[in-house]
Amino acid sequence: MASRVIKCLFLSIFCSLAVLQAHSQQYDSTAIPKDWHLKDPETDHVQGISAEKAYQTLLKGQPSRTVIVAIIDSGIDIDHEDLRSVIWTNEGEIPDNGIDDDNNGYIDDVHGWNFIGGKDGNVNQDTDELTRTYVKLKKQFEGVDEKKIPKKEREAYQDYLKVKGKFEKLLAKNKEQYELYHGLYQNVRASVDTLKALLMTDTLSQELVQGFESSEPNLLFAKGFVLNIYRNIGPDNSMEEFLSQLKEAADHFQQVVDYGYNENFDPRPIVGDNFSDPYEKGYGNNDVKGPDPMHGTHVAGIIAADRNNGIGIKGIADNVKVMSVRAVPNGDERDKDVANAILYAVDNGAQVINMSFGKSLSPRKEVVDKAVKYAMQKGVLLVQAAGNESENTDVEKNFPTRYYLDGSEAKAWLEVGASSWGADKDLVGSFSNYGKKSVDLFAPGVKIYSTLPHNEYKEMDGTSMASPVAAGVAAVIMSYFPRLSALEVREIIRQSTRKFDHLKTTLPGGGGEVEFSELSSTGGLVNLYEAIKLAQETQNKKLVK
């Protein structure tokens, strides 16, 4: 996940800044509501999903059933003030008695399961899949005379050379990024602290810095440096928050270098499984929070934060229970864990599974394919984040994927790109992956305000945020229209997307402009109000039959 999801979250300092600046002529960024993604485009003038409109009109007074949404992620803070009332509980399990009461193969799985933990603790950091592939091939080919390689191994040797080149390039790039952000943080921190001391204040502001006078070149440099930052982040934004984000970015790249691309790092012994057996089950522990549940908690809040408790935020779905299935470390998830996480969610009643993670290699794809096929057989909808590399996933590989090794595909699957709040050329998140074939639709994924561990809240960017928006919409439809199948819900969401005739948007990653309709197979934005209207029509037709 870190190489695909966390990367953009920590770079959101600059992703969000770029979008804010691009929208500055049309919007006052400080006026964008924190719940903009729930708002209605027509009445609220932001490109939200019309959730509040749907509840106030089409869904008002209507009966609903509880839907279980599994969140395969880094873990969830199940004690959060805005989530504890919506956390799934396994009624067949007696807490903490050390017995598998419901005979599902998992002891004390009261609120879900953790596939990256063991009896002695949890995996936090893990390596990138590229690193693991490189280590495996390096053992086979390092120091081998190319001329002596058997013919049947030459293709694998060429793969080794490609992987080695990519590994070394990315390691160097991430080291460079760490040095950049670490150096920038140190310089900003020193300048800010110096000005605070001279101005005798604990809180810096643009006005205070502007009024500071000095003839010392070093102090004038600090003044100019800090003022330039204020000009970019805006006078109403916090310098301390900016510093915090810079430090997060520096810490992230340090973690990538120290763990993600560290060929000598292997946390798997913590789990205690037989990793060579990709079909092994029953390993892990019941710690569904884990050591770093930030990402999963944010995702959970988008889908299901309590809409009726009068605190915090409102999730999209009003009658759901979220199941925490921990399988995603700070690093790339492993195919074995992803497969088991899907199987666990399906077997324990999940009707929707959100997967806000991804990677570019999948060495045991057949194992994941088998789990996805099982989910399809059981009528479960899978919702996947498209990824944050600004890439065309029709061309670049992104796993897990709806496409099986045999070329067929999972039908009850939604692939989701990230959008922003304004219907102009910056409608698409600058980081978002896209694909006319591989991506189904876009959903809000920029400046999404949601829950964080320890009863906190924060804005984040990423397709990781867009995916749970779509998953939340699916859960609402399933809740109010129980006769509809996962396939029907998927088609309703796709067919009801809002279209933008001939809208030109900036192509993620640069490279000019492109029609928004060319970035996904539907060419649209998810919208709950329109989806509910279509769901009503679809269910009525079924009742007539």
Side-chain angles (χ1 to χ4, degrees):
M1 174 184 70
S3 61
R4 188 160 299 247
V5 178
I6 297 296
K7 173 181 175 182
C8 192
L9 294 180
F10 288 145
L11 286 177
S12 64
I13 316 162
F14 301 103
C15 291
S16 295
L17 184 56
V19 174
L20 287 172
Q21 290 172 333
H23 287 356
S24 61
Q25 293 183 347
Q26 186 173 355
Y27 298 94
D28 174 6
S29 63
T30 61
I32 301 298
K34 288 186 181 298
D35 61 347
W36 74 264
H37 62 289
L38 304 180
K39 300 292 188 180
D40 180 65
E42 184 176 339
T43 59
D44 302 307
H45 310 295
V46 288
Q47 301 307 316
I49 66 169
S50 306
E52 299 307 319
K53 179 180 179 181
Y55 281 114
Q56 293 163 10
T57 55
L58 301 175
L59 297 177
K60 189 173 183 179
Q62 297 300 309
S64 64
R65 63 162 180 166
T66 301
V67 168
I68 299 172
V69 180
I71 298 174
I72 301 176
D73 216 293
S74 64
I76 298 173
D77 181 358
I78 59 175
D79 298 311
H80 192 288
E81 62 183 6
D82 233 356
L83 294 175
R84 56 186 171 224
S85 66
V86 299
I87 298 298
W88 172 76
T89 297
N90 183 357
E91 300 296 343
E93 199 73 20
I94 299 171
D96 303 322
N97 68 349
I99 300 172
D100 180 15
D101 300 290
D102 61 356
N103 295 312
N104 71 348
Y106 301 95
I107 296 172
D108 292 334
D109 59 322
V110 179
H111 300 297
W113 194 250
N114 172 21
F115 287 99
I116 50 174
K119 60 184 179 65
D120 296 323
N122 295 307
V123 171
N124 186 1
Q125 293 86 6
D126 206 340
T127 49
D128 191 278
E129 194 68 71
L130 176 70
T131 305
R132 298 193 282 264
T133 303
Y134 171 58
V135 169
K136 182 179 179 181
L137 291 172
K138 184 179 179 181
K139 289 178 182 177
Q140 183 178 359
F141 293 112
E142 185 181 36
V144 174
D145 186 346
E146 183 176 357
K147 297 177 182 178
K148 296 181 180 179
I149 294 175
K151 188 174 182 180
K152 63 181 181 180
E153 294 181 5
R154 287 176 188 170
E155 185 176 347
Y157 179 72
Q158 291 303 314
D159 289 340
Y160 163 66
L161 295 179
K162 291 177 184 177
V163 168
K164 181 175 184 289
K166 187 174 182 180
F167 172 81
E168 291 173 346
K169 180 179 178 181
L170 287 173
L171 176 58
K173 180 180 179 181
N174 279 279
K175 283 182 177 178
E176 182 180 304
Q177 291 293 303
Y178 166 68
E179 291 168 0
L180 170 67
Y181 286 106
H182 179 69
L184 183 57
Y185 170 74
Q186 295 281 19
N187 286 331
V188 177
R189 178 83 269 172
S191 296
V192 167
D193 288 347
T194 297
L195 290 170
K196 278 184 177 180
L198 292 170
L199 290 166
M200 293 183 288
T201 180
D202 292 328
T203 305
L204 213 57
S205 69
Q206 185 172 353
E207 291 74 19
L208 281 173
V209 176
Q210 189 71 55
F212 174 71
E213 299 292 342
S214 176
S215 59
E216 291 289 331
N218 289 343
L219 298 180
L220 288 175
F221 173 81
K223 174 183 177 179
F225 186 49
V226 171
L227 284 177
N228 188 52
I229 293 171
Y230 272 120
R231 279 191 287 271
N232 281 279
I233 67 173
D236 297 321
N237 291 293
S238 166
M239 180 64 71
E240 289 303 319
E241 176 64 19
F242 178 73
L243 279 163
S244 174
Q245 291 173 329
L246 274 181
K247 189 174 187 305
E248 284 180 342
D251 289 347
H252 161 66
F253 285 110
Q254 183 176 19
Q255 179 171 274
V256 171
V257 172
D258 290 347
Y259 300 105
Y261 292 106
N262 182 351
E263 57 186 292
N264 298 311
F265 178 64
D266 179 17
R268 196 66 189 188
I270 293 172
V271 179
D273 65 323
N274 177 12
F275 191 67
S276 63
D277 178 3
Y279 294 102
E280 178 187 8
K281 295 178 175 58
Y283 62 91
N285 66 37
N286 69 343
D287 181 0
V288 297
K289 288 185 182 181
D292 185 9
M294 178 187 72
H295 189 268
T297 301
H298 200 270
V299 167
I302 294 169
I303 296 171
D306 195 323
R307 293 182 58 85
N308 302 307
N309 61 2
I311 60 174
I313 63 169
K314 290 183 178 180
I316 293 167
D318 68 340
N319 193 357
V320 294
K321 295 295 182 181
V322 292
M323 176 192 299
S324 178
V325 190
R326 187 168 182 266
V328 184
N330 285 317
D332 275 349
E333 62 282 353
R334 299 181 184 232
D335 291 342
K336 176 181 178 178
D337 302 330
V338 171
N340 274 316
I342 292 172
L343 294 173
Y344 178 89
V346 173
D347 283 340
N348 287 279
Q351 291 122 303
V352 181
I353 299 176
N354 186 81
M355 302 184 295
S356 289
F357 56 84
K359 56 184 180 178
S360 60
L361 293 170
S362 183
R364 299 311 303 260
K365 188 180 185 315
E366 73 280 2
V367 181
V368 180
D369 281 359
K370 186 176 181 180
V372 171
K373 288 177 181 178
Y374 182 71
M376 296 300 102
Q377 293 168 3
K378 296 296 183 178
V380 177
L381 179 66
L382 302 182
V383 187
Q384 162 81 355
N388 302 323
E389 289 76 36
S390 310
E391 292 178 345
N392 182 350
T393 51
D394 290 350
V395 178
E396 302 296 335
K397 293 180 179 179
N398 177 38
F399 300 102
T401 173
R402 79 177 89 216
Y403 304 107
Y404 301 127
L405 285 171
D406 63 8
S408 61
E409 65 179 273
K411 299 298 184 182
W413 182 294
L414 283 173
E415 193 82 7
V416 188
S419 62
S420 189
W421 57 82
D424 58 14
K425 68 178 182 178
D426 297 295
L427 173 62
V428 176
S430 61
F431 51 81
S432 181
N433 285 351
Y434 57 92
K436 183 63 175 175
K437 178 185 176 184
S438 56
V439 174
D440 289 279
L441 46 80
F442 281 74
V446 175
K447 283 178 67 70
I448 306 300
Y449 188 72
S450 186
T451 46
L452 286 189
H454 311 300
N455 297 332
E456 295 183 358
Y457 303 82
K458 186 178 181 179
E459 291 175 351
M460 286 188 178
D461 303 334
T463 58
S464 283
M465 285 64 253
S467 180
V469 169
V473 169
V476 174
I477 298 171
M478 289 182 175
S479 180
Y480 284 86
F481 304 94
R483 295 176 181 270
L484 300 179
S485 69
L487 277 173
E488 288 171 321
V489 171
R490 185 242 187 191
E491 285 308 305
I492 285 167
I493 292 172
R494 283 173 49 85
Q495 292 174 23
S496 62
T497 55
R498 292 179 57 247
K499 309 300 192 296
F500 298 80
D501 292 340
H502 306 297
L503 171 67
K504 293 277 190 177
T505 184
T506 302
L507 184 67
E513 295 183 354
V514 64
E515 286 198 11
F516 177 63
S517 61
E518 295 301 308
L519 298 180
S520 67
S521 60
T522 66
L525 281 181
V526 69
N527 187 271
L528 179 59
Y529 181 83
E530 295 299 328
I532 294 300
K533 287 201 304 183
L534 186 54
Q536 288 175 334
E537 294 174 15
T538 305
Q539 182 157 285
N540 287 340
K541 288 178 182 177
K542 293 186 74 169
L543 290 172
V544 170
K545 292 180 180 179

